[in-house]
Amino acid sequence: MRVLRVISTLETTRGGPSLAARASARALARAGLDVVQITTVAPRAAPHGPGEETVDGVMYRYFPRSIPGTFHFSRSIGEFLRSVAREFDVMHIEALFQYPTVVACRAAMQHRIPYVLAPLGSLNDWSIRHRAWKKVPYFRLVEVTHLGSAAALHANSPAEAEALTAEGFGSKVHLIPLGVDVPADVGVERRLDGPVQLLFLSRLHPVKGLPLLLEALAAVRARGLAVELTIAGTGDQAYERELRDHVQRLALGDVVRFVGHV
């Protein structure tokens, strides 16, 4: 079976879905499927500019974005999908409100190829409220058709499954959490003395609720609990400055450290 997987970006700084996409593609290849993963990149992106490579049995193809922006418009990925989609048995398409999703769904519908569509959190309350003036009409005019024509809908969480069901697509929803590869023995010993160590590991984005964690940290510290927090991840520079300022306002500078993307 030939599987074509489509995601707008595989850049690790964009968060967990990029990492999980590689893991699931690798697992499908190990199961004996012929897997091609396509995505977009900035024209001069490092380490992957436009081109292709085979890693762990998966063929990756990187298409340059034609213009900057979060819509990830790529003329070449559209041309590729329209010309070769018919060569695949099934497609797995990730995220809504992205150009690769639009052309992938339309190509699958045109060539009568079954496809699985995974919203990847784009239907949660925060995401819909963010720029709702354009997202809500876009969803009604464009994405409802894509969801309705999918052979199956891949929800990553119960909340996402509920959101899809509320939109009338409950019969197509399959709840499958994102998978990651974890070593059997990570070789880390738990410290039993010293401060309680907390780790926040995520891209830095308002939807993640990090200010609430900082306020909770300040509250428990005020009660005498020795606790330290490491924040691993990157995001918009302006938002990261807001977080650092919030740390200072809460007098947490001595117990919170930012280590960037890891």
Side-chain angles (χ1 to χ4, degrees):
M1 176 180 286
R2 297 202 73 202
V3 180
L4 179 63
R5 296 173 53 88
V6 184
I7 190 170
S8 61
T9 178
L10 285 172
E11 297 165 9
T12 56
T13 54
R14 298 301 299 168
S18 297
L19 182 66
R22 290 185 182 275
S24 55
R26 184 165 58 246
L28 291 174
R30 287 173 181 166
L33 280 66
D34 182 0
V35 183
V36 176
Q37 173 78 67
I38 66 173
T39 189
T40 70
V41 293
R44 296 178 180 82
H48 296 298
E52 62 182 49
E53 64 176 349
T54 299
V55 180
D56 296 327
V58 180
M59 167 63 77
Y60 290 90
R61 298 199 61 171
Y62 305 93
F63 295 87
R65 295 171 200 146
S66 303
I67 58 175
T70 58
F71 193 51
H72 296 100
F73 176 74
S74 167
R75 185 175 292 104
S76 58
I77 202 174
E79 294 170 351
F80 174 83
L81 283 163
R82 285 187 287 268
S83 63
V84 307
R86 64 174 67 88
E87 300 175 8
F88 293 87
D89 299 301
V90 65
M91 293 168 60
H92 188 277
I93 305 166
E94 300 189 78
L96 305 182
F97 308 114
Q98 306 284 331
Y99 178 75
T101 299
V102 175
V103 290
C105 289
R106 297 299 168 87
M109 289 186 283
Q110 178 183 352
H111 297 293
R112 300 180 183 276
I113 300 168
Y115 67 92
V116 178
L117 184 55
L120 290 184
S122 52
L123 291 180
N124 67 42
D125 288 342
W126 187 94
S127 179
I128 291 296
R129 288 197 307 270
H130 183 60
R131 298 177 180 172
W133 62 271
K134 65 177 180 179
K135 277 190 174 178
V136 172
Y138 182 96
F139 177 77
R140 297 301 172 193
L141 293 172
V142 178
E143 300 293 17
V144 165
T145 299
H146 297 159
L147 292 166
S149 300
L153 301 176
H154 177 185
N156 299 143
S157 68
E160 187 162 72
E162 291 171 5
L164 288 166
T165 300
E167 291 292 339
F169 302 112
S171 62
K172 297 184 176 186
V173 175
H174 298 266
L175 176 58
I176 307 171
L178 293 180
V180 294
D181 291 330
V182 178
D185 181 7
V186 296
V188 175
E189 295 184 7
R190 182 182 174 192
R191 290 178 52 184
L192 299 179
D193 58 344
V196 174
Q197 297 290 331
L198 303 181
L199 171 65
F200 178 90
L201 178 62
S202 170
R203 64 189 175 99
L204 304 185
H205 190 281
V207 74
K208 304 300 183 180
L210 187 51
L212 181 61
L213 174 59
L214 294 174
E215 290 159 15
L217 185 66
V220 297
R221 193 180 185 213
R223 297 180 184 178
L225 178 64
V227 59
E228 296 179 353
L229 170 65
T230 298
I231 298 174
T234 57
D236 180 78
Q237 291 184 356
Y239 182 63
E240 186 170 340
R241 284 195 297 271
E242 289 181 21
L243 292 174
R244 291 179 181 274
D245 290 343
H246 197 40
V247 167
Q248 297 305 317
R249 285 194 298 271
L250 294 172
L252 296 174
D254 59 330
V255 295
V256 174
R257 64 180 183 136
F258 291 81
V259 297
H261 177 73
V262 296

